[in-house]
Amino acid sequence: MAAPLLEFETEMFLSLFESDGLLVAAEGLGIDRLLLQFMRVYSEEGSLVLLLNTSTPEQEYFTEQLRVEGVSHLPRTVTSDVQSAERYNVYSEGGVLFVTSRILVVDFLTDRIPAHLISGILVYRAHKIIESCQEAFILRLFRQKNKTGFIKAFTDKATAFSSGFCQVERVMRNLFVKKLYLWPRFQASVNAALDRHKPEVVELHVSLTPAMKAIQSSILDIMGACLKELKRYNPSLEAEDLSLENTLGNAFEKTIRHYLDPLWHQLGAKTKALVQDLKVLRVLLLYLTQYDCVTFLNLLESLRCSQKSFGSNSGWLFLDSSTSMFVNARSRVYRIPDSKKKLRLGGETEKQKSSSASEVQRELVLEKSPKWEVLTEVLKEIEEENRSSQHGSGAGRVLICASDDRTCAQLQQLIKHGSDWLLNRLYARTVAKRDPAAAAAYDLDSHRKGGGRLKKGTKGKEPAKTKSTKASKGRPSLTLTQMMGKESGAAGMGSSEDEDGQMEEDEGEEEQLKLNLSSDAYYGVLKEPLTVIHPLKGCTDPHSLTRVLHEVEPSFVVLYDAEVSFVRQLEIYKANRPGKPLRVYFLIYGGSTEEQKYLTALSKEKKAFEHLIREKATMVIPEEREGREDTNLDLARNLEPANATTNTRRAGGQEPPGEPSRVVVDMREFRSELPALLHRRGLDIEPVTLEVGDYILTPDTCVERKSVSDLIGSLQSGRLYAQCLSMTRYYRKPVLLIEFDPAKPFSLMARSDFRSEISSNDISSKLTLLTLHFPRLRILWCPSPHATAELFLDLKRGRPEPDASAAQAVTAESDVVGESAALYNPGPYDFLMKMPGVNAKNYRALIKSADSLADLATLSQERLAESLGNAGNAKALYEFLHNEAEVPANLQKAKHT
């Protein structure tokens, strides 16, 4: 059962319940709990409420929570699996519905949804509602047809409103709401409620080792040098956003893309290399504090060994800081004794002898991660505390939270076997495999310690009790490349496969620890007290951690990695259970980039809320913003028909306006922004399933819309040729519309890529051939969907309206337009293509050999083989034309009668 709402949550609920608005809460303050409360209220047959912008795992989570609470009329999901005829009945039954945006738009346009019966719409992740998105289109259609229903919007991303001009006001305008509710963490009632029952927090500022500090300062120096170069090559970049502090944050890549994407095609190779290097350096910083010394060295060595990276990097590998970083990274894993180094000063022959000796004589250092030692101490402290308080109550359960799956897997091995065992295993499986000298050093070290290393890891009480598991519900085991793919294009370097392999071995050796948890990603480690390790990010279910928190009910939480939203989630968890103890161990590297990143995230959110508070104070909102009257201009559409001619004799507009113009739109096109923008400009949208084209503007004009990526794909696959062929056959004015993303360059390729000769691999060459092949095909270039909408209005002006039923009826069997029939007769072509042995690649050669189907029948098998270029195809076609078919006797009798 979900805990009752806290005082400030009740206040949030009541304020939004009484009046429509946009609620912006601090991250982690639980807007999902608030949304769940609204769903609980509206889950009844008497009301029909639509919930927008939720993902499938979230829908499952909300439904499950309501089922647990005994709600009888559970929310239902309307997807393409529900037939259009059945959807009206589903809507009529009421309750809360999750409906995909595309289906909802089509149902509003075709009046399949009873708009007057809708009680209201709840919008999740409201910061994503921009004018041209599907959800904004749905809200506008809803408000045009229903003036009484409510619109309530929720978001916990205050930072999304801090960029752009009047961003929050624009979002509120698209949501049709007048009120803005702000709930930061520093709000008085939030502070009072959470401070009353604070969890006991133990902050452990772990010190970086000297080598780690040296590596960190080297990476920061290199990043500073890269940023300086980037600004030198691109003076137009904002200096404030490209500060070293901002480079550490998660939003940095988005910021730099925002600046550079529109001019990416004009940038030099140097700038592109610098952007890529900054990504790689950010990954290095993450690896330094996140993983062990061996994994970090593996990543570094792979960067140096990779010929591609070495050749394309902007030169940071040659800086002094880079050399210092490599030296320190190696010193954390192994060292070469001083006595052996001195031998190198001798003669040439001596040097050769000594070099091999010194390599063999490497001494393994294998520096332990400082956080590992602190974590081991924390777990010992918890064990002792549980032992001392066991006579009173049961052993307190432990939840350890780390940032990703890989860290969790390492921590599981660490708790089970100890740090020496884990580091030696990683070393043996990576560095020692790659480097014979390292392998020799490892063998020597093992021999010297008499194999005691592996035994050492299994000492003590803790690992003896351990049982290992992998998620019994099929947790996806992420490889390094998958996990870091978002941060770096670097190939998989590291040893996640080895960790996964080890876990599988452990499963075979030991009995599995069954944890009855609904979560799909966890690592159970100890049975007594129950210890669970869970990743903070990368789970397929966004509420996975929340479920584990409420099902395990830990008394101790160890935050191996800091994350703002989960810290606040723990505060609310404790406030809901005032009598039960909760101690949180907060591990963070003092004076590190990890700490800086956490503090920057906090200050950014605080500044975003302060900005919103100031904006709210000065915001001017028109009375008709909610659209409950006809005076809201956002709901008004330009109803002047596109085919109307200017009449200078019309006095004062006394003539009643005509019917709005129509555009027939293919169902699949509702994934794009264009239908919403066309509707906004006063065009009626008729959604149907079209076989030929995407948009029918007039009875003669058919448009096939392509984005740049789609254009390249369909040119290479040959799909575009078939689509143009169909349009040319059935419409007098076939149009190919190439639409660009407004945030990307309005160019298919860089100027330097243009070639004077036609090439089969070149996109511009393929487009040229397409225009030569279809002389009547018109190509339109549009920089954005807004420009396309304007263009469609111009193309429709003064022309007749299209007929949806006629457009839908155009199929391969339809009559061909006159212009096409004059050029060629498609009937025999289609008949020819159906014959065995004939395909799209060889039918043209066959047409050159025979003028008609009758001529084709006279050709010998050898001549057919020459034309088709394949003896097998020629034989199949010849036998089809010349062999007599054996007709059964009963069919022959029936034919005669």
Side-chain angles (χ1 to χ4, degrees):
M1 286 288 285
L5 295 180
L6 299 168
E7 298 94 320
F8 74 88
E9 289 178 315
T10 310
E11 200 180 325
M12 286 161 84
F13 173 78
L14 290 173
S15 60
L16 196 56
F17 185 74
E18 284 167 18
S19 176
D20 293 4
L22 166 63
L23 184 137
V24 184
E27 209 172 342
L29 277 193
I31 57 164
D32 50 340
R33 282 162 54 86
L34 200 63
L35 185 59
L36 208 55
Q37 183 66 30
F38 273 103
M39 290 173 71
R40 202 176 290 125
V41 170
Y42 294 118
S43 287
E44 55 184 25
E45 289 185 19
S47 62
L48 171 58
V49 174
L50 305 173
L51 181 50
L52 304 182
N53 248 358
T54 50
S55 61
T56 308
E58 284 166 346
Q59 292 168 12
E60 288 168 0
Y61 171 75
F62 290 140
T63 310
E64 187 188 313
Q65 291 296 314
L66 292 172
R67 188 184 291 113
V68 168
E69 289 174 25
V71 173
S72 55
H73 200 79
L74 289 171
R76 279 163 305 161
T77 307
V78 178
T79 59
S80 52
D81 299 336
V82 182
Q83 295 300 315
S84 53
E86 299 168 23
R87 289 209 290 268
Y88 188 89
N89 297 331
V90 175
Y91 294 135
S92 305
E93 286 171 19
V96 177
L97 293 179
F98 303 110
V99 192
T100 59
S101 300
R102 192 170 66 90
I103 287 175
L104 210 45
V105 167
V106 171
D107 285 355
F108 265 119
L109 289 170
T110 54
D111 288 328
R112 201 174 284 129
I113 185 168
H116 62 286
L117 295 180
I118 299 174
S119 310
I121 295 181
L122 300 171
V123 185
Y124 199 48
R125 291 198 193 88
H127 60 280
K128 291 190 173 179
I129 305 296
I130 55 170
E131 183 193 357
S132 55
C133 76
Q134 293 288 7
E135 286 72 26
F137 189 20
I138 290 165
L139 292 168
R140 199 165 74 246
L141 289 169
F142 165 68
R143 201 36 106 208
Q144 281 170 355
K145 298 182 180 213
N146 183 325
K147 302 289 184 189
T148 56
F150 63 78
I151 295 173
K152 303 183 191 302
F154 312 80
T155 183
D156 59 357
K157 294 277 185 294
T159 47
F161 298 110
S162 56
S163 61
F165 180 70
C166 293
Q167 185 69 20
V168 71
E169 199 170 339
R170 294 216 301 264
V171 169
M172 288 170 68
R173 184 177 171 180
N174 294 329
L175 288 166
F176 297 99
V177 294
K178 283 198 295 188
K179 296 201 173 177
L180 175 64
Y181 302 100
L182 299 174
W183 288 86
R185 174 63 183 83
F186 54 80
Q187 214 262 6
S189 49
V190 177
N191 252 343
L194 296 181
D195 288 356
R196 201 175 302 134
H197 303 290
K198 277 185 181 175
E200 183 191 343
V201 180
V202 180
E203 276 194 38
L204 297 166
H205 287 265
V206 186
S207 299
L208 292 169
T209 63
M212 286 173 81
K213 275 184 185 165
I215 292 169
Q216 181 179 280
S217 69
S218 296
I219 297 175
L220 290 173
D221 286 348
I222 297 167
M223 285 177 89
C226 285
L227 282 171
K228 200 173 176 183
E229 282 287 285
L230 196 61
K231 287 174 192 168
R232 189 163 72 83
Y233 282 101
N234 304 278
S236 60
L237 290 177
E238 277 286 336
E240 192 184 327
D241 287 332
L242 290 183
S243 65
L244 196 55
E245 183 186 337
N246 284 337
T247 344
L248 306 177
N250 294 330
F252 174 71
E253 276 172 40
K254 196 186 280 184
T255 308
I256 206 158
R257 262 207 313 273
H258 169 72
Y259 284 123
L260 297 180
D261 262 0
L263 15 130
W264 191 254
H265 63 305
Q266 298 169 4
L267 297 177
K270 187 82 171 170
T271 304
K272 292 179 180 178
L274 283 166
V275 172
Q276 186 58 35
D277 289 341
L278 281 170
K279 284 184 184 178
V280 172
L281 290 163
R282 276 162 50 86
V283 175
L284 281 172
L285 265 183
L286 175 80
Y287 267 54
L288 178 65
T289 52
Q290 195 66 48
Y291 304 117
D292 56 276
C293 58
V294 179
T295 308
F296 181 76
L297 183 65
N298 283 334
L299 174 60
L300 258 190
E301 295 288 3
S302 68
L303 284 176
R304 175 161 274 187
C305 296
S306 165
Q307 192 59 45
K308 188 183 171 192
S309 294
F310 195 75
S312 66
N313 95 88
S314 58
W316 66 266
L317 279 173
F318 307 110
L319 295 174
D320 292 342
S321 301
S322 172
T323 312
S324 155
M325 175 170 65
F326 274 92
V327 168
N328 283 303
R330 287 181 187 132
S331 73
R332 294 176 68 205
V333 179
Y334 56 77
R335 71 188 180 88
I336 297 166
D338 293 339
S339 58
K340 297 295 173 191
K341 284 182 186 172
K342 285 172 190 172
L343 288 172
R344 295 183 178 182
L345 301 171
E348 190 62 40
T349 52
E350 224 174 60
K351 194 189 286 180
Q352 285 173 4
K353 286 178 190 172
S354 67
S355 63
S356 60
S358 64
E359 280 174 10
V360 173
Q361 290 302 317
R362 278 181 185 176
E363 286 180 12
L364 291 188
V365 177
L366 296 179
E367 179 182 276
K368 293 167 191 169
S369 172
K371 269 194 186 179
W372 286 3
E373 294 172 11
V374 174
L375 179 65
T376 313
E377 285 172 25
V378 165
L379 290 174
K380 277 180 188 167
E381 184 185 314
I382 290 169
E383 194 181 352
E384 283 166 18
E385 192 157 324
N386 275 331
R387 204 179 296 127
S388 62
S389 66
Q390 217 155 17
H391 57 272
S393 57
R397 292 173 169 185
V398 184
L399 173 64
I400 302 170
C401 291
S403 71
D404 55 34
D405 267 294
R406 187 170 184 188
T407 315
C408 291
Q410 278 199 351
L411 292 183
Q412 186 194 28
Q413 299 300 317
L414 170 76
I415 296 167
K416 279 170 56 59
H417 300 287
S419 56
D420 288 335
W421 183 93
L422 175 56
L423 285 171
N424 276 285
R425 181 183 179 80
L426 284 170
Y427 184 82
R429 291 201 161 209
T430 53
V431 183
K433 264 189 185 178
R434 199 172 55 233
D435 184 351
Y442 175 71
D443 293 340
L444 189 71
D445 204 48
S446 304
H447 180 71
R448 191 184 300 151
K449 296 188 180 177
R453 179 182 291 104
L454 294 178
K455 289 174 189 170
K456 186 178 170 186
T458 54
K459 271 199 287 187
K461 252 182 153 181
E462 214 168 51
K465 292 182 186 175
T466 61
K467 307 282 177 189
S468 85
T469 184
K470 224 173 178 183
S472 51
K473 296 202 175 184
R475 176 187 63 79
S477 62
L478 296 177
T479 63
L480 170 65
T481 321
Q482 287 168 321
M483 273 193 277
M484 298 314 301
K486 291 176 188 170
E487 300 221 17
S488 164
M493 53 320 246
S495 52
S496 57
E497 300 87 353
D498 304 317
E499 288 154 17
D500 288 342
Q502 173 55 32
M503 290 177 73
E504 282 159 23
E505 284 171 33
D506 289 344
E507 279 175 23
E509 288 167 13
E510 301 177 11
E511 169 203 351
Q512 280 202 2
L513 165 65
K514 296 288 181 190
L515 298 179
N516 188 23
L517 298 179
S518 59
S519 164
D520 69 341
Y522 62 82
Y523 298 77
V525 185
L526 303 178
K527 220 171 190 173
E528 287 301 329
L530 177 63
T531 302
V532 175
I533 305 178
H534 196 288
L536 290 162
K537 299 172 198 154
C539 301
T540 49
D541 177 6
H543 293 95
S544 168
L545 197 51
T546 314
R547 293 177 199 239
V548 169
L549 192 62
H550 287 95
E551 287 167 17
V552 174
E553 296 192 341
S555 304
F556 304 96
V557 175
V558 181
L559 283 174
Y560 187 83
D561 293 304
E563 198 201 27
V564 177
S565 61
F566 187 61
V567 171
R568 295 197 180 130
Q569 206 173 324
L570 285 172
E571 288 185 300
I572 290 176
Y573 170 76
K574 176 69 176 86
N576 275 314
R577 301 151 47 89
K580 297 186 179 177
L582 175 67
R583 185 185 299 164
V584 179
Y585 290 93
F586 194 87
L587 276 62
I588 199 158
Y589 283 115
S592 71
T593 51
E594 182 195 22
E595 184 181 36
Q596 184 59 50
K597 205 170 166 182
Y598 180 73
L599 295 173
T600 304
L602 276 175
S603 77
K604 273 197 171 175
E605 191 190 65
K606 185 169 180 283
K607 281 177 189 168
F609 268 112
E610 286 168 355
H611 170 72
L612 284 174
I613 290 165
R614 284 195 302 275
E615 203 166 328
K616 184 180 176 181
T618 57
M619 203 184 287
V620 178
I621 295 171
E623 193 57 42
E624 65 274 5
R625 167 62 56 80
E626 291 189 354
R628 296 183 189 274
E629 307 295 331
D630 291 329
T631 50
N632 188 333
L633 296 176
D634 289 327
L635 290 175
R637 297 167 64 206
N638 178 15
L639 293 177
E640 185 185 351
N643 60 358
T645 51
T646 309
N647 183 0
T648 55
R649 295 180 64 82
R650 193 168 66 192
Q654 292 168 10
E655 194 178 317
E659 283 295 305
S661 293
R662 287 192 305 278
V663 175
V664 180
V665 181
D666 184 36
M667 288 282 195
R668 290 165 289 245
E669 276 297 301
F670 283 95
R671 293 187 183 92
S672 72
E673 303 172 10
L674 190 52
L677 296 173
L678 291 172
H679 186 269
R680 183 74 183 264
R681 279 167 173 72
L683 294 172
D684 272 0
I685 308 293
E686 293 199 28
V688 293
T689 305
L690 297 175
E691 272 194 38
V692 178
D694 293 329
Y695 296 85
I696 310 298
L697 303 184
T698 70
D700 291 340
T701 312
C702 172
V703 179
E704 180 69 38
R705 190 188 72 91
K706 295 281 179 199
S707 63
V708 176
S709 56
D710 192 19
L711 174 77
I712 293 166
S714 54
L715 272 173
Q716 286 171 346
S717 67
R719 195 173 80 247
L720 185 58
Y721 175 84
Q723 289 170 331
C724 290
L725 186 66
S726 301
M727 286 199 297
T728 312
R729 278 188 185 184
Y730 306 120
Y731 290 95
R732 292 179 195 279
K733 295 173 185 170
V735 176
L736 172 63
L737 172 80
I738 300 168
E739 194 175 87
F740 288 76
D741 184 342
K744 297 279 169 70
F746 183 43
S747 160
L748 259 189
M749 59 185 69
R751 286 176 202 157
S752 56
D753 292 345
F754 278 116
R755 297 175 187 159
S756 55
E757 294 177 9
I758 283 185
S759 154
S760 60
N761 300 323
D762 192 30
I763 295 301
S764 57
S765 300
K766 287 184 177 179
L767 270 178
T768 309
L769 290 169
L770 195 74
T771 51
L772 288 170
H773 202 88
F774 300 106
R776 285 193 294 115
L777 180 71
R778 297 288 173 262
I779 298 181
L780 299 178
W781 303 82
C782 284
S784 70
H786 292 268
T788 308
E790 289 293 336
L791 197 59
F792 278 13
L793 282 171
D794 291 340
L795 289 172
K796 282 186 64 63
R797 191 160 285 124
R799 290 180 176 83
E801 298 300 331
D803 182 6
S805 52
Q808 198 171 6
V810 173
T811 60
E813 287 75 40
S814 304
D815 293 333
V816 179
V817 294
E819 286 90 336
S820 298
L823 289 172
Y824 61 85
N825 187 358
Y829 279 64
D830 294 339
F831 183 71
L832 182 67
M833 292 284 283
K834 298 283 191 292
M835 289 186 179
V838 182
N839 54 44
K841 290 180 181 175
N842 61 23
Y843 85 101
R844 288 182 178 280
L846 201 58
I847 290 166
K848 287 175 184 173
S849 306
D851 293 333
S852 65
L853 291 171
D855 279 354
L856 186 67
T858 62
L859 297 179
S860 65
Q861 189 172 334
E862 291 76 20
R863 184 73 194 283
L864 285 173
E866 280 177 35
S867 300
L868 294 172
N870 184 302
N873 286 343
K875 187 182 176 188
L877 179 59
Y878 186 82
E879 287 178 355
F880 171 74
L881 290 169
H882 295 281
N883 285 7
E884 288 185 15
E886 293 179 10
V887 183
N890 55 351
L891 281 178
Q892 283 183 337
K893 280 180 190 173
K895 195 174 179 184
H896 288 305
T897 53

